[in-house]
Amino acid sequence: MTLELHQFPCLSDNYGYLLHDSASGETTCIDTPDAETYLREAEAKGWRITQIWNTHWHPDHAGGNAAIKAATGCTIYGPQEVSAKFPLDVVLAGGDSATLGGNTAQVIDVGGHTKGHIAYHLPEAGLAFVGDSLFALGCGRMFEGTPEQFWASLERLRALPAETTICCAHEYTQANAAFALHADPGNDALMDYAREIEAKRAAGEPTVPFPLGRELETNPFLRADDPDMQAHWGGDSPDETFAAIRAAKDSF
Ligand SMILES: [Zn+2]
């Protein structure tokens, strides 16, 4: 394994990620919340930024594209929607792939938070960069997509190997846990997880990244087809149940 992942806080509650391949010397930025922080972190590591992989168009994900490209001459990959506001060199969509040295990332369509949101899954490294589609015990707000689209996206993420390490873009876990306990009362695995999260945050530790497997048992948004959740939240189909849970979280 020649990949090294560097995670660091950015802006108020974003996480920045730099992924470095020591064999080729290539480094990619996963999103660009803040150019200065990314350039400083890369320099401290001694890594040369050669790429940017955007997940969606929001400014706290693509706002640093121009400045990082100007400083490094890197190539910017991402969904078409990014190009409306920020520089983009290569358009990616679900089913495409991106490469960093000898490592391949499969691009997954995870639209719903924004219409064109994509995720990057590196099967050999067991890593997935999911932006604002999936959070620990939560998912992104549905700004642009439909419940059908968002639920289909979550089903695609849910189908990844359970041991996959999920790298999401925000530290929202504590607030998500409070809602999850409300949405799915009596879930013992969730109660254990919520206690661990509280202890980690009290100690100033990040709760991200996290394994997908645990989310399958505890994340209410990944459990919209669970009979108990459907009975509790209503809906004749998983996407209707998902819509009910998402609406409840928005006003929680
Ligand atoms: Zn976003």
Side-chain angles (χ1 to χ4, degrees):
M1 183 65 60
T2 59
L3 280 179
E4 190 182 333
L5 177 64
H6 176 49
Q7 175 180 344
F8 45 92
C10 239
L11 304 178
S12 60
D13 54 28
N14 281 71
Y15 284 120
Y17 296 100
L18 287 166
L19 187 65
H20 176 70
D21 174 59
S22 57
S24 64
E26 287 207 62
T27 304
T28 191
C29 306
I30 313 299
D31 285 328
T32 60
D34 180 61
E36 256 181 56
T37 307
Y38 268 67
L39 292 169
R40 193 176 59 233
E41 294 287 335
E43 193 180 355
K45 281 282 191 182
W47 295 350
R48 188 174 59 90
I49 292 171
T50 54
Q51 301 187 31
I52 292 168
W53 294 356
N54 285 136
T55 61
H56 65 295
W57 72 264
H58 284 160
D60 63 325
H61 294 259
N65 281 12
I68 294 175
K69 187 172 175 74
T72 64
C74 67
T75 305
I76 307 173
Y77 297 80
Q80 180 76 61
E81 64 179 21
V82 169
S83 67
K85 290 211 163 177
F86 303 106
L88 178 71
D89 298 314
V90 181
V91 174
L92 295 175
D96 291 341
S97 56
T99 57
L100 187 74
N103 308 277
T104 300
Q106 308 292 344
V107 176
I108 306 171
D109 169 6
V110 292
H113 172 70
T114 65
K115 271 191 191 143
H117 198 311
I118 57 174
Y120 298 84
H121 175 225
L122 293 110
E124 285 175 32
L127 288 172
F129 297 97
V130 302
D132 290 352
S133 58
L134 179 66
F135 297 126
L137 292 181
C139 72
R141 216 172 248 263
M142 194 170 65
F143 286 118
E144 296 177 7
T146 63
E148 293 78 10
Q149 181 188 16
F150 212 146
W151 174 248
S153 295
L154 294 178
E155 283 196 296
R156 283 189 279 274
L157 291 175
R158 207 168 60 157
L160 298 178
E163 62 273 18
T164 305
T165 297
I166 302 291
C167 303
C168 71
H170 291 277
E171 180 61 62
Y172 289 161
T173 313
Q174 207 160 17
N176 287 345
F179 174 75
L181 289 166
H182 162 76
D184 190 7
N187 181 331
D188 290 337
L190 171 58
M191 286 188 258
D192 288 347
Y193 192 4
R195 274 190 289 271
E196 280 177 41
I197 287 161
E198 206 159 313
K200 271 192 179 172
R201 295 308 293 154
E205 293 169 19
T207 63
V208 176
F210 51 91
L212 176 64
R214 196 168 200 185
E215 298 299 309
L216 301 178
E217 290 179 60
T218 56
N219 187 321
F221 297 98
L222 292 180
R223 291 166 39 72
D225 58 350
D226 181 278
D228 290 344
M229 293 294 276
Q230 290 196 291
H232 190 75
W233 288 97
D236 294 327
S237 62
D239 51 78
E240 286 181 21
T241 305
F242 168 80
I245 301 169
R246 187 60 256 171
K249 171 70 166 71
D250 290 346
S251 58
F252 184 69

